[in-house]
Amino acid sequence: MSEKRVFFAGGAGFIASHTIPILLERGYSIRIFDNMRRGDRARTERFIAESGGRVELVEKDVTNGGPVREHMAGCTHVIHFPTMSINKSVADPHESVYLNMIGSNNVFAAAADEGVRRLVFASTASVYGNPAKLPMHEDDELAPLTPYCISKRACEDLLGFYQRERGLSWNALRFFNVYGPGQRVEAYYTSVINHFLQRLRAGEPPVIDGKGEQSMDFVHVHDIARAVVAALESERGCSPINIGTGVDTSVATLATLLIDAVGVDVEPRFNPRDVLVARRAADIGRAREMLGWEPTITVEQGMADLVAATEPVAVGSV
Ligand SMILES: NC(=O)c1ccc[n+]([C@@H]2O[C@H](COP(=O)([O-])OP(=O)(O)OC[C@H]3O[C@@H](n4cnc5c(N)ncnc54)[C@H](O)[C@@H]3O)[C@@H](O)[C@H]2O)c1
């Protein structure tokens, strides 16, 4: 058995698909634990076929504690990703809270019992709610607004419980607006990319509500994947850590970036109306300090790469 084995819950999804190659490079074996509800089966089978026995798939659900415990055996590290989208969590709070709380508790408890070296949990920038100031710092007040974000925040607290009671070592990464190849089209925060691209590819200008001042901190999925592995291996743990670029990109700027990347001769069209100007940018000082992590892909580069990808962009997730 490999010395380093990751129990990767939600390991058949979007961010996982960029994380697995880095884990393999670093000598881990990977036990993907995924119910395949949103997982990519073809991609997962490719990883299994090409890894020389170092990637396996356990097709089970994290809300069932027995299988989680059984398959945690022999694992040295844990990554915990299963979730449902923000939109779905509003429509079905029960299912979202059940998955995020019961499923997460099953994984956290089994990881603590197994005595794993580190657990990395995917949290979200949405735990801050609408920030009072930028950049957003980990010690700012949290005001999560939806069942998805409320339960993500509760999971961070639950990790603190397993740390105090059972010595679990963890990091909770607060991902900002993740984008990149392989994402699904129904992304909540990043769907604007897909929307603009679809129009540009049809030769139509992007349509922006208001002045396009609302902004996001777009962070490329490759940099997210690097952060996940850094958080798995860092000397220091037991903290929430922002993972973004620190740059807030307005919707108007995004439209210009995508127009340039697609190379069409159009101007964005503004739809004058009052919009709530929400802005986002991460303070990434803690990620630098604790993980030695830096983003490497600028939003200009990342958007250009996305457009250059042969397939029409599929943006998605939560
Ligand atoms: N993508 C983003 O923009 C973003 C932003 C902030 C936080 N996050 C967090 O990052 C994590 C990964 O996101 P992603 O975009 O890769 O999501 P994804 O939906 O692509 O992957 C999640 C995986 O979990 C699996 N899964 C769902 N329910 C399960 C269950 N009950 N048991 C076992 N497996 C289950 C799905 O089949 C899927 O393969 C999530 O926790 C998400 O909340 C993502």
Side-chain angles (χ1 to χ4, degrees):
M1 184 197 287
S2 164
E3 198 196 321
K4 298 189 291 183
R5 182 179 298 275
V6 185
F7 179 95
F8 201 154
F14 162 57
I15 297 176
S17 71
H18 293 263
T19 310
I20 287 172
I22 305 179
L23 290 170
L24 287 171
E25 237 173 65
R26 296 187 67 79
Y28 290 88
S29 292
I30 300 148
R31 182 168 293 159
I32 296 173
F33 191 100
D34 197 303
N35 65 1
M36 298 308 282
R37 244 212 228 169
R38 286 167 57 89
D40 185 325
R41 192 173 293 279
R43 189 173 57 203
T44 303
E45 281 169 2
R46 253 193 330 270
F47 280 132
I48 294 169
E50 290 167 6
S51 67
R54 287 165 62 210
V55 177
E56 60 183 315
L57 170 66
V58 176
E59 195 167 337
K60 303 246 186 245
D61 196 302
V62 289
T63 58
N64 296 327
V68 170
R69 204 162 277 279
E70 180 191 336
H71 295 282
M72 184 70 72
C75 293
T76 52
H77 296 77
V78 176
I79 301 174
H80 183 58
F81 275 3
T83 201
M84 62 192 281
S85 68
I86 294 188
N87 288 344
K88 266 185 98 179
S89 89
V90 173
D92 189 349
H94 173 84
E95 200 186 336
S96 172
V97 171
Y98 190 75
L99 168 57
N100 277 3
M101 295 307 307
I102 303 301
S104 297
N105 183 64
N106 286 339
V107 173
F108 300 170
D113 284 353
E114 186 66 23
V116 302
R117 294 180 214 162
R118 174 68 49 77
L119 180 151
V120 173
F121 171 64
S123 187
T124 169
S126 301
V127 293
Y128 294 106
N130 292 319
K133 63 159 187 65
L134 297 188
M136 293 141 80
H137 188 274
E138 288 87 347
D139 294 336
D140 290 350
E141 192 186 339
L142 303 183
L145 298 171
T146 62
Y148 166 86
C149 318
I150 291 165
S151 48
K152 285 283 190 185
R153 184 230 174 125
C155 282
E156 293 185 2
D157 291 343
L158 195 59
L159 285 165
F161 165 79
Y162 282 106
Q163 172 195 347
R164 290 187 300 277
E165 294 295 316
R166 317 264 283 276
L168 180 68
S169 178
W170 56 277
N171 277 313
L173 302 183
R174 292 180 181 164
F175 298 151
F176 277 64
N177 302 104
V178 188
Y179 72 99
Q183 206 169 19
R184 286 169 190 268
V185 285
E186 74 276 10
Y188 184 74
Y189 285 112
T190 43
S191 60
V192 63
I193 302 174
N194 193 52
H195 179 67
F196 285 177
L197 270 184
Q198 275 173 352
R199 289 189 60 88
L200 289 169
R201 286 194 161 122
E204 292 164 2
V207 179
I208 297 171
D209 284 339
K211 294 181 183 151
E213 289 167 319
Q214 55 278 34
S215 72
M216 290 172 226
D217 184 335
F218 292 109
V219 51
H220 194 276
V221 64
H222 177 68
D223 281 332
I224 290 280
R226 289 175 48 247
V228 171
V229 179
L232 206 60
E233 298 182 339
S234 62
E235 268 176 32
R236 292 171 58 198
C238 302
S239 180
I241 305 171
N242 288 341
I243 303 295
T245 62
V247 178
D248 63 318
T249 302
S250 71
V251 169
T253 302
L254 174 72
T256 311
L257 286 176
L258 290 173
I259 288 171
D260 289 349
V262 175
V264 282
D265 187 18
V266 296
E267 292 285 326
R269 201 160 70 212
F270 290 88
N271 191 5
R273 64 185 191 110
D274 285 339
V275 291
L276 179 73
V277 177
R279 295 181 55 206
R280 274 188 172 194
D283 182 320
I284 53 172
R286 190 176 290 180
R288 288 194 173 107
E289 190 200 332
M290 283 188 61
L291 309 180
W293 175 90
E294 284 281 345
T296 59
I297 302 175
T298 63
V299 71
E300 289 82 1
Q301 268 176 316
M303 294 300 163
D305 289 353
L306 200 59
V307 170
T310 47
E311 308 252 357
V313 67
V315 176
S317 197
V318 276

